[in-house]
Amino acid sequence: MALTTLLCALVAAVSGVQAVTVYGQQPLVTSTTTSSAPGATYTGLAAYDPRILDPPPLPDPLPPNQFGIQLSASASNVQGLSIPLSGSFFGFSVEMSVVTQVSESVIHPPFLNLMALVAERAGRVLVRVGGNTQDTARMVQSLEDGKAIEKQQVDTNNPTQTPALLYTPEILYLLSNISSLVNVKWYLGIPLNDTSELHLEIVEWGERILGDNLLGFQVGNEPDLYQRHGHRQEGYGPFDYFGEFGQVRDAMQSMNVPATNNLIGPSLATGDWTPEDMWNTGFIQAYSDSLAALSVEHYPDDNCAALYEGFGQPVDPQAAFSRYLNHTAGSSIISIYMNSTNVAQQAGKQFIMFETNSASCGGFPGISTSFGAALWAIDYGLQMGYSNFSHALLHVGGQNVYYNPFTAPPTNESSYHQWTVGPIFYSVLAVAETLGSSNNSQIIDLQANGGNIFTPGYAVYENGNLARLALINFMTDPSGANDYTATIAVGGGESGQPNGTPAQLKVKYLRAPSVGDKWNVTWGGQSLGGQFEADGRLKGDLDIQTVQCDQGANTCQVKVPAPGFALVFMSDEAMQESEPASTATFATTVVTKAKNTVTIDPEVLATSNGHKGMKGRYGSTSAGSNAARRAVGAYPSAMALLAAVAGAAVIRRAIVRSV
Ligand SMILES: *[C@@H]1O[C@H](CO)[C@@H](O)[C@H](O)[C@H]1NC(C)=O
Ligand SMILES: *[C@@H]1O[C@H](CO)[C@@H](O)[C@H](O)[C@H]1NC(C)=O
Ligand SMILES: *[C@@H]1O[C@H](CO)[C@@H](O)[C@H](O)[C@H]1NC(C)=O
Ligand SMILES: *[C@@H]1O[C@H](CO)[C@@H](O)[C@H](O)[C@H]1NC(C)=O
Ligand SMILES: *[C@@H]1O[C@H](CO)[C@@H](O)[C@H](O)[C@H]1NC(C)=O
Ligand SMILES: *[C@@H]1O[C@H](CO)[C@@H](O)[C@H](O)[C@H]1NC(C)=O
Ligand SMILES: *[C@@H]1O[C@H](CO)[C@@H](O)[C@H](O)[C@H]1NC(C)=O
Ligand SMILES: *[C@@H]1O[C@H](CO)[C@@H](O)[C@H](O)[C@H]1NC(C)=O
C-alpha cells in the first residue's frame, strides 16, 4: 500500500504528464493455440512458443504411493544440514545488454509487482546485471541524443553474439530507482575484455549511485571460455585470470571508492576449466580480503544446435523432457561443485551459482516453459541449498528465449498486453517461502520414499527448529493413482525423542494438470495469469489446506498430487513468516489506461533490441502533452528494466557445458 501511494505520488509529482500511449495498437498476432502435434512448427518469438509436451510415461516400477517421513523436532539431532540459508536464495540474472536496451522509459509496474512478491517472502531480491555483454561494456558520461545505451559492433567470435555497448550512469539510476521502490539488491559486472586498459567507471559510479543496494562486482564472465571464444590468446589459463583479477583488485584499491571488498569471481562456466584448476592457483587466499563471494555459472544442457551450425543435431525436447523430471537432474548439475562449496565454506566465502536455467542458448521449447521446469527448478534450487550454495540466479532473457521467469510483451503490443509469467517464476516464490525470511534456515535432503527419484523431499530447520517440509511429485497421472501420501512423524516411536507431532499442519500446493502444462499453474490456489495476462499480482483466493494430525499415533498425512509440490508448514509461525501479510502493489493503470499511460514510440522500442540505441524520441497522444516533454509516465527515466528485461534481444547464453 505504502509503495503504491509512493509511486502515485511520484508520478503525480514528477512526471507532470502521465499520459502515454503506445502507438500502433493492433490485434494480437501471436498464436494462442497449443499444439503438441509432431512437426507442428512455430516461427514466432521463443517466449511465446505454444508447444506443449506430453508428460513422460510413468516410471516402471512405480514408486510406492504411501511412505513415512520420520523427523526430529530439533536441528541438533540432524546430521548433514546445510549452512544457514536465506529466502532470497533464488534471484535473477539479467543480461546487461537487455537491461540497458531501453534507456529511458518507466519502470513497469508488473516488474515491480513481481519483485515485490519475492521481496515480501524473502526479505529482498537479488538481481545480477551482467553476462557476456559486460566484458565489452563501457560506461560513458553521455551519449548523443540523450541516449542511455548504445550498441556497437557485434562480436563475431562469440556464439552468443553479444554486442559491445556503451551506457551512461542513467542506467545505474534506473536500478537505484527500482531499489527505492522494492528491496532489490544488485550485482554488477566489471568489463575484462582489455586488461591493458581497465575500465572501472562502473565501480566508481556503481558504488556512488547504488550505495548499500550494491552487493558486489563480478570480475569478468566465464573466463574459462575466453580463449575458445577468441577473446584471449592460445594458452590463456587459470593463472592468467588470477593475474587479471589482481590487476582489477589493485586498480580498485587505488581508486577512491568506499568498498573494495566486494569482488566476485571466478564465474567459471566450468566448460574448459574445473573450479579446482582455479582454486589451485591460490586465488581464494590471494584475494580473500577483496572477495565477497565465489561464483560459477552452469546450465544442465544447451539448445545451441537449434540456433547455430556446428553443434550437431538439435535436441528433441520431448525426448529430453524426462531428464528434467527427477531428483537426479538437480544433483547431477552441481556434482562438479561439491568440493568447491566445501572449499568456499572453509574460506568463509559464499558460493553462488551466478547464472543458470534449464538450458543455455535460450532453453528448450516445451520444456523451459513448462510446469515440469517449475518442479525441476524447485528441486534444483533446494538441492543447491542443501549442497551449501548461498544463492542461485535464474537467467532472464528476452522475447527470444524460452526459459524466462517473466517476459514483457513485445514493445509494439504493450498497450494491450500484459506480461507473461513463466512457470519457473512460481519456483522462486516457492523456494522463498520454503526458506522463509530469517536468513537462518538449514535444509536437508530427506532421501524420501527410499530415495525414489520421482518423489523427493526436504526438511527445513529454521533457527534450529523444524519449520517446513518441501515435497515434490514429478509424475503426471490425472487418475490420482500416483498422488502420494507422506505420513509425517515428529519424534516419538523409535527415535528416542518425545512425540512432537503437532495437532495440525498447513499445506500450500503448487499444481498444474500436467508437467507439460504452461498456463494452469496455481500456487496456493493463486495464479499470475496466462500469456500476456500478468500484471505481477497473484489473482484468486489464497488456499492453504489444513491437515489434522493424529497426535495419539504421532502422524500427519500429507498428500502430494501427481504432478505437484507441497510446502508443509509445521507450525503457524512457520507459515506466518513465509506468507506476506499484505502485498504492496504498483498500480498498473499507470501504464495501461488510455489516459495516464506512457507514450513510447513503438519504432523506438522495436529497434531497441540491439542494433540501435534509443533515440530519445517520444510522442504522446494524450491531451495536453507533447512529445518534447518526455512523458515517461510511471517513473521518470527509470522505467524499463523490465521492458528492458523483456524487450530483448538475442540473449543467447554461451555454451556453458563442454560441447
Ligand atoms: C510486433 O513486432 C513483431 C516483431 O517485429 C511482429 O512480429 C509483430 O507482428 C508486431 N505486432 C504487431 C501487433 O504489430
Ligand atoms: C574491448 O571492448 C571495447 C568495446 O567496448 C573495444 O573497443 C576494444 O577493442 C576491446 N578490446 C580488446 C582488447 O578486445
Ligand atoms: C532516480 O533517477 C534519477 C535520474 O534519472 C536520479 O536523479 C534520482 O536520484 C534517482 N532516484 C534514486 C532514489 O536513485
Ligand atoms: C578440493 O579442492 C581443493 C582445492 O582445489 C583440492 O586441493 C582438493 O584436492 C579437492 N578435493 C577433492 C576431493 O577433489
Ligand atoms: C533422471 O534424470 C537424469 C538426469 O537428467 C537422467 O539422466 C535420467 O535418465 C532420468 N531418469 C529417468 C528414469 O528418467
Ligand atoms: C554443508 O555444510 C555443512 C556445514 O559445514 C556440512 O555439515 C554439510 O555436510 C554440507 N553439505 C554438503 C552436501 O556438503
Ligand atoms: C538477512 O540478511 C540480510 C543481508 O545481510 C539483512 O539485510 C537482513 O536484515 C537479514 N534479515 C534478518 C531477518 O536478519
Ligand atoms: C489450461 O489452460 C488453458 C488456457 O487457459 C485452457 O484452455 C485449458 O482448458 C486448461 N487445461 C486444463 C486441464 O485445465
Side-chain angles (χ1 to χ4, degrees):
M1 278 317 276
L3 286 175
T4 314
T5 313
L6 171 63
L7 182 65
C8 291
L10 281 168
V11 169
V14 186
S15 73
V17 179
Q18 297 176 16
V20 185
T21 306
V22 176
Y23 294 90
Q25 301 191 12
Q26 277 146 36
L28 171 59
V29 174
T30 313
S31 166
T32 51
T33 56
T34 58
S35 167
S36 56
T41 49
Y42 167 82
T43 54
L45 294 162
Y48 311 111
D49 190 314
R51 185 156 182 188
I52 302 280
L53 299 175
D54 295 326
L58 288 167
D60 179 19
L62 289 166
N65 62 7
Q66 307 257 357
F67 59 90
I69 296 178
Q70 173 69 54
L71 299 160
S72 292
S74 163
S76 57
N77 297 313
V78 184
Q79 297 283 310
L81 286 167
S82 72
I83 56 174
L85 298 170
S86 122
S88 61
F89 184 87
F90 262 145
F92 303 99
S93 158
V94 182
E95 190 77 30
M96 196 161 202
S97 60
V98 180
V99 163
T100 52
Q101 273 161 17
V102 184
S103 65
E104 285 163 327
S105 184
V106 291
I107 303 172
H108 287 310
F111 176 70
L112 293 175
N113 285 332
L114 291 169
M115 293 302 105
L117 289 179
V118 182
E120 283 154 2
R121 289 160 171 79
R124 56 192 199 153
V125 193
L126 308 189
V127 181
R128 169 253 192 162
V129 180
N132 290 303
T133 348
Q134 86 185 39
D135 271 336
T136 50
R138 293 277 178 282
M139 175 176 288
V140 293
Q141 281 314 299
S142 66
L143 289 166
E144 60 178 29
D145 301 334
K147 284 179 285 192
I149 171 77
E150 181 174 85
K151 295 212 175 187
Q152 299 181 300
Q153 85 285 352
V154 169
D155 173 1
T156 50
N157 288 324
N158 189 334
T160 62
Q161 303 221 341
T162 36
L165 50 95
L166 297 175
Y167 61 99
T168 72
E170 194 61 23
I171 297 302
L172 298 171
Y173 285 114
L174 163 67
L175 306 186
S176 177
N177 275 276
I178 289 170
S179 293
S180 70
L181 296 169
V182 180
N183 195 15
V184 179
K185 303 290 183 188
W186 305 94
Y187 294 110
L188 299 176
I190 292 177
L192 206 60
N193 79 316
D194 184 359
T195 42
S196 67
E197 198 195 334
L198 285 173
H199 284 270
L200 298 181
E201 295 85 356
I202 192 164
V203 173
E204 186 186 343
W205 287 85
E207 291 201 6
R208 186 186 302 174
I209 294 170
L210 290 170
D212 289 347
N213 293 319
L214 177 74
L215 294 178
F217 293 103
Q218 181 191 3
V219 179
N221 187 62
E222 302 182 339
D224 56 326
L225 300 183
Y226 281 171
Q227 184 193 313
R228 194 202 293 193
H229 291 166
H231 298 306
R232 292 293 191 280
Q233 301 283 318
E234 182 92 8
Y236 180 85
F239 276 103
D240 298 297
Y241 176 75
F242 175 97
E244 293 180 330
F245 191 98
Q247 280 177 262
V248 171
R249 191 263 321 252
D250 294 347
M252 206 168 146
Q253 286 179 346
S254 68
M255 288 164 67
N256 186 21
V257 290
T260 57
N261 61 351
N262 52 6
L263 298 184
I264 294 167
S267 308
L268 301 185
T270 330
D272 292 350
W273 309 342
T274 67
E276 282 74 15
D277 291 338
M278 202 62 233
W279 315 146
N280 291 343
T281 64
F283 178 80
I284 300 172
Q285 295 76 7
Y287 303 123
S288 189
D289 292 346
S290 307
L291 279 167
L294 303 176
S295 57
V296 292
E297 306 183 4
H298 209 63
Y299 292 72
D301 204 339
D302 74 79
N303 192 28
C304 300
L307 305 174
Y308 304 104
E309 285 183 24
F311 288 87
Q313 275 295 108
V315 171
D316 170 14
Q318 183 66 64
F321 201 17
S322 62
R323 303 207 290 262
Y324 289 83
L325 296 172
N326 74 61
H327 188 47
T328 311
S331 59
S332 63
I333 303 167
I334 55 171
S335 59
I336 50 176
Y337 303 119
M338 296 307 291
N339 184 39
S340 296
T341 59
N342 190 28
V343 167
Q345 213 182 129
Q346 282 165 14
K349 300 296 176 194
Q350 290 193 339
F351 196 78
I352 303 178
M353 177 63 79
F354 230 58
E355 181 183 321
T356 192
N357 212 313
S358 42
S360 63
C361 283
F364 292 118
I367 294 179
S368 301
T369 48
S370 72
F371 180 62
L375 294 179
W376 165 80
I378 291 173
D379 188 49
Y380 174 35
L382 297 180
Q383 190 67 31
M384 280 190 275
Y386 166 62
S387 303
N388 295 324
F389 284 70
S390 290
H391 296 285
L393 310 180
L394 293 171
H395 206 50
V396 182
Q399 316 282 341
N400 295 340
V401 305
Y402 299 101
Y403 52 52
N404 294 326
F406 44 78
T407 313
T411 49
N412 55 345
E413 300 174 4
S414 61
S415 60
Y416 54 94
H417 279 155
Q418 294 274 16
W419 285 45
T420 301
V421 170
I424 63 166
F425 184 81
Y426 295 91
S427 314
V428 176
L429 299 183
V431 167
E433 292 183 36
T434 298
L435 295 172
S437 57
S438 69
N439 297 331
N440 201 17
S441 286
Q442 294 169 278
I443 190 165
I444 186 154
D445 182 342
L446 295 168
Q447 291 296 320
N449 202 8
N452 191 286
I453 60 175
F454 300 100
T455 59
Y458 298 84
V460 171
Y461 288 80
E462 193 164 22
N463 297 319
N465 299 315
L466 180 61
R468 302 176 198 88
L469 298 186
L471 305 174
I472 296 168
N473 188 339
F474 278 115
M475 296 178 285
T476 295
D477 182 357
S479 79
N482 284 290
D483 294 355
Y484 70 75
T485 301
T487 300
I488 297 161
V490 182
E494 293 167 13
S495 73
Q497 296 157 26
N499 280 8
T501 298
Q504 58 178 38
L505 302 174
K506 297 278 171 37
V507 186
K508 187 171 183 181
Y509 289 104
L510 180 69
R511 43 193 324 177
S514 162
V515 288
D517 186 85
K518 281 183 168 60
W519 308 126
N520 302 294
V521 179
T522 54
W523 174 227
Q526 297 181 301
S527 167
L528 286 154
Q531 181 167 300
F532 301 130
E533 288 178 357
D535 66 9
R537 294 181 285 194
L538 287 163
K539 303 287 165 57
D541 294 332
L542 178 62
D543 174 20
I544 293 185
Q545 312 255 313
T546 301
V547 170
Q548 298 300 334
C549 301
D550 180 341
Q551 282 183 299
N554 198 37
T555 56
C556 308
Q557 298 200 319
V558 173
K559 198 164 192 172
V560 185
F565 167 75
L567 175 55
V568 183
F569 299 104
M570 299 303 293
S571 67
D572 284 352
E573 297 73 52
M575 184 180 75
Q576 279 148 15
E577 197 209 299
S578 290
E579 290 300 310
S582 68
T583 298
T585 58
F586 298 89
T588 52
T589 49
V590 175
V591 288
T592 55
K593 279 192 182 161
K595 294 228 172 192
N596 303 329
T597 52
V598 178
T599 298
I600 300 171
D601 182 341
E603 200 189 321
V604 172
L605 286 175
T607 56
S608 66
N609 289 357
H611 308 297
K612 296 177 188 168
M614 296 288 291
K615 295 227 174 74
R617 291 188 287 132
Y618 292 91
S620 174
T621 55
S622 66
S625 64
N626 67 61
R629 295 178 74 173
R630 286 219 177 153
V632 184
Y635 206 13
S637 84
M639 182 143 190
L641 169 65
L642 250 314
V645 162
V650 186
I651 302 302
R652 305 218 158 109
R653 272 276 319 126
I655 311 103
V656 159
R657 49 205 291 262
S658 302
V659 286

